[in-house]
Amino acid sequence: MHSNSTHYEAALLGLGAMGAALARAALAGGRRVIVWNRTAARAEPLVGAGATLAASAAAAVEAAAVVIVCVTDYAATLSLLADIDLRGKTLVQLSTGTPQEARELAAWAATRGAHYLDGAILAVPSQIGGENATILASGSEVAYAAAEPLLRTTAAVRFVGSGFGTAAALDLGVLSTLFGALLGFYQGARVIEAEQLPVDGLGAMLVAVMPAIGEMIRNDAEAIHHSRYAAPESSLEICWRSMELLTRQAAEAAIDASFARFAAGQFYRGVAAGFGDESPAAMIKVLRAASAQKGAGA
Ligand SMILES: NC(=O)c1ccc[n+]([C@@H]2O[C@H](COP(=O)([O-])OP(=O)(O)OC[C@H]3O[C@@H](n4cnc5c(N)ncnc54)[C@H](OP(=O)(O)O)[C@@H]3O)[C@@H](O)[C@H]2O)c1
């Protein structure tokens, strides 16, 4: 099916793993969408599922008031939109980027007469359309009002403020937490393997304790927010000792110790700075001081 002058609820530009999942969920939610991808062959399964394929990105944009982009990065977004008329459109960027990139794209969109919403997808493609998918959005409230009905068919959508960089900042905060945890998990998996235990058992157990871990992280965030580090339930020194234990186990089992050494080294910086009996959240003071020194030296 190819585009004609019919009006669509949204144009979806970019049908990689994530863009295709968004389009599929929107179609399943009964939305009329027009799609485009640089490599047209990738659109075929979606056309089979009811999407209209535009002959060009410009044709897709022309056919819809809401334009949702999900490509590799902001540079790809700018290159594909460069020569397209965006006057009066709502532009939603769902490609991952930095807060500064979001602000720059918002400023660029304003010069092109578009309302801009920056979004961040907190899910993998197979989760899109399901109960565990979240999209953070920030920027123009007008753009949010226009895009929200479609976005909500793909994920739970949370408008996190009018700052164009806010969604990207929260996204990077989540990604840092996630990938930090994943590196720790891989070390944990080696501990389990060294004991000839099944790694999937660790995975299942982690799901069970995730609410408790989430609560600990939230408590740390509160401590940082209120600068409240004294009389902790569990001290920074205990974190350092736990990571030292991981280092010792790695030596005993002759497994890679790089993560364990890194984590122990980080917490040791907090102990050496005199924060050993404070909350682990006191690590933020070590990182702030390091930024200040770097800034002063620069
Ligand atoms: N996958 C995930 O788990 C996940 C989760 C959260 C957020 N995201 C974000 O979603 C975005 C897309 O990820 P993905 O997993 O869909 O990546 P992907 O499968 O690698 O797809 C990349 C998409 O970008 C398009 N593209 C790249 N450069 C382009 C250009 N210069 N002009 C036009 N189109 C261009 C590709 O088109 P072709 O098909 O022609 O190459 C393709 O549609 C990324 O920013 C990613 O960080 C992904």
Side-chain angles (χ1 to χ4, degrees), residues 253-271:
I255 62 174
D256 185 280
S258 50
F259 170 79
R261 276 199 295 265
F262 169 74
Q266 284 295 93
F267 283 119
Y268 185 70
R269 292 170 68 189
V271 174

Side-chain angles (χ1 to χ4, degrees), residues 215-216 219 229-236 238 277-280:
E215 205 165 34
M216 288 176 211
N219 288 344
Y229 307 111
E233 282 191 279
S234 174
S235 70
L236 198 158
I238 287 178
D277 61 354
E278 295 189 6
S279 153

Side-chain angles (χ1 to χ4, degrees), residues 69-82 91 93 95 105 108:
V69 183
C70 186
V71 293
T72 306
D73 54 24
Y74 281 61
T77 302
L78 276 168
S79 80
L80 84 88
L81 293 176
L91 175 62
Q93 166 70 306
S95 319
L105 190 59
W108 177 86

Side-chain angles (χ1 to χ4, degrees), residues 99 120 122 136-138 158 160-161 165-177:
L122 305 185
L136 305 178
S138 68
R158 295 178 64 179
V160 290
T166 303
L170 285 168
D171 187 32
L172 289 186
V174 171
L175 292 180
S176 179
T177 306

Side-chain angles (χ1 to χ4, degrees), residues 15-18 37-39 42 70-72 76 79 95-96 121 123 125:
L15 301 173
M18 184 52 86
N37 194 55
R38 180 179 60 179
T39 308
R42 278 181 109 166
C70 186
V71 293
T72 306
S79 80
S95 319
T96 309
I121 302 168

